[in-house]
Amino acid sequence: MKKILLLAVSFIYFQSFAQELKKAALKDLTEQNWQHGLSLLQEIVSMPNDAFYPEQIETNIAWSEKQFGERGWTTERLATDGIPLLLVGKSSPGATKTILFYFHMDGQAVDRSKWNQEDPYSPVLKSQNAHGDWEIIPTSKLRHEYDPNWRIFARSTSDDKGPVAMFLTAWDGLAKENIAPDYNVKIILDFEEEQGSPKLPGAVVKYKEKLAADMMLILDGPRHISNEPTLSFGARGISDLTLTTYGPKFPQHSGHYGNYAPNPALLLSQLLASMKDENGRVLIPGYYDGIELTAEEKEILSKVPDDEEAIQKS
Ligand SMILES: [Zn+2]
């Protein structure tokens, strides 16, 4: 949390104060504010947030409006024909650039029987014992101690309420120092990400002026296996299709009618297998058109601290 909070603070400051706010000063700010961050995190994950239950989501929307509103941000519900999105913003006098952040406030559905704690919406601190099992330890330990191997367990702690808590903490820490960014900040909060964000694509089109920005940061992704703060540039996106195959109406032995009725499962597997070679390279013509890595990009990629042996073992 501390390390990531440092990253969040750096983020908000990457432009105007990159020169002035050196790493030591950022560490200092993190040190001063991480307890505040912890209580924010505990508060935020204590709200049930399964989007299957709109009444749970309403609590999360109202909480977000209140939190950003109290900090002097504008808040606006972007209506959809279902659960709304929440756009919050803070403009900076004289700013010419705008950054847009994305977070989601909903979490995956909860199966309480699979949780090794009383309530998934009641955060607990855990430490891993010699057998690799996670054991509850007193949360009060965090008031005086910090161990990077401890974990807070509650629904959405990492995905994706932790980043929201970190953002607010970073914002508060900087505000206390009277430091403000020289660019406008917008945040789009999604409350149905774990349902596949059914209303987001339509809303992006409908509200594109409101969402306009020069840069976008999505704080909802996996960190590198090294557990270092991770920046990924670009998101490759998703495209999907529905494919229907037809076969015989009744069960058929393969020999019936002399192999007359093809097996759709076999045809589908042949089709899927034809899309990639054995090294995972896509074989569909044109798939890689326009994708070229420059020498500079390859150089950056070569610096990612991948430990292939460790990844394979894991
Ligand atoms: Zn997520």
Side-chain angles (χ1 to χ4, degrees):
M1 168 97 183
K2 270 171 138 178
K3 202 189 282 169
I4 297 175
L5 185 57
L6 176 66
L7 180 76
V9 180
S10 322
F11 254 147
I12 304 178
Y13 273 89
F14 69 99
Q15 248 186 342
S16 43
F17 290 87
Q19 303 310 313
E20 294 109 277
L21 223 55
K22 293 276 189 311
K23 206 170 170 185
L26 289 170
K27 267 193 163 153
D28 231 36
L29 265 181
T30 299
E31 211 49 61
Q32 288 165 35
N33 290 284
W34 80 287
Q35 291 291 330
H36 168 54
L38 273 177
S39 46
L40 262 174
L41 177 66
Q42 285 167 318
E43 182 180 334
I44 193 172
V45 296
S46 298
M47 294 179 288
N49 62 345
D50 182 348
F52 188 74
Y53 305 102
E55 66 279 11
Q56 291 187 7
I57 291 306
E58 177 54 36
T59 309
N60 285 268
I61 299 176
W63 185 90
S64 308
E65 286 172 324
K66 183 167 175 282
Q67 290 288 329
F68 283 97
E70 283 172 357
R71 288 166 173 83
W73 290 53
T74 57
T75 68
E76 182 185 358
R77 290 186 187 210
L78 302 183
T80 70
D81 55 3
I83 290 173
L85 293 144
L86 186 65
L87 178 65
V88 301
K90 182 85 177 166
S91 52
S92 227
T96 55
K97 299 273 184 191
T98 300
I99 186 165
L100 173 67
F101 288 87
Y102 169 95
F103 304 90
H104 66 89
M105 285 289 285
D106 64 310
Q108 290 186 10
V110 152
D111 176 352
R112 284 169 192 268
S113 68
K114 299 230 163 76
W115 283 74
N116 202 11
Q117 68 197 59
E118 217 171 291
D119 181 356
Y121 296 115
S122 188
V124 292
L125 183 65
K126 292 186 189 179
S127 161
Q128 209 167 17
N129 66 21
H131 306 290
D133 299 322
W134 290 95
E135 283 176 343
I136 296 179
I137 56 173
T139 307
S140 58
K141 270 180 171 291
L142 280 171
R143 270 189 241 130
H144 318 284
E145 288 175 69
Y146 175 75
D147 181 333
N149 294 315
W150 290 344
R151 295 287 181 275
I152 292 171
F153 283 70
R155 169 55 82 226
S156 307
T157 305
S158 67
D159 179 16
D160 185 35
K161 283 179 162 180
V164 180
M166 290 185 283
F167 183 94
L168 288 172
T169 309
W171 187 264
D172 291 346
L174 294 164
K176 269 197 278 176
E177 302 294 312
N178 285 317
I179 305 171
D182 60 359
Y183 49 90
N184 306 314
V185 186
K186 293 179 186 175
I187 300 177
I188 182 78
L189 289 170
D190 186 353
F191 296 88
E192 281 185 297
E193 197 268 353
E194 302 293 1
Q195 307 292 326
S197 302
K199 309 296 176 200
L200 188 62
V204 166
V205 176
K206 188 172 171 192
Y207 300 107
K208 71 174 176 201
E209 271 92 43
K210 290 179 191 287
L211 294 167
D214 299 283
M215 180 194 261
M216 183 175 187
L217 279 169
I218 299 173
L219 275 80
D220 177 32
R223 85 247 179 287
H224 188 257
I225 196 168
S226 62
N227 205 25
E228 290 296 316
T230 307
L231 276 174
S232 302
F233 292 87
R236 63 181 174 181
I238 294 172
S239 57
D240 57 43
L241 59 88
T242 303
L243 192 65
T244 308
T245 56
Y246 296 92
K249 276 174 150 176
F250 308 106
Q252 300 285 311
H253 277 285
S254 57
H256 282 179
Y257 312 107
N259 295 336
Y260 182 75
N263 180 337
L266 180 66
L267 291 177
L268 258 184
S269 59
Q270 285 170 331
L271 181 65
L272 289 172
S274 74
M275 293 181 182
K276 276 189 174 179
D277 69 15
E278 63 273 27
N279 295 316
R281 193 167 173 82
V282 176
L283 297 172
I284 298 165
Y287 187 82
Y288 293 109
D289 284 0
I291 314 273
E292 266 155 57
L293 291 179
T294 63
E296 193 192 355
E297 286 162 341
K298 284 182 183 165
E299 167 77 16
I300 293 168
L301 285 171
S302 73
K303 288 185 185 144
V304 176
D306 283 333
D307 178 345
E308 200 165 336
E309 209 176 302
I311 294 172
Q312 288 188 357
K313 206 171 162 198
S314 155

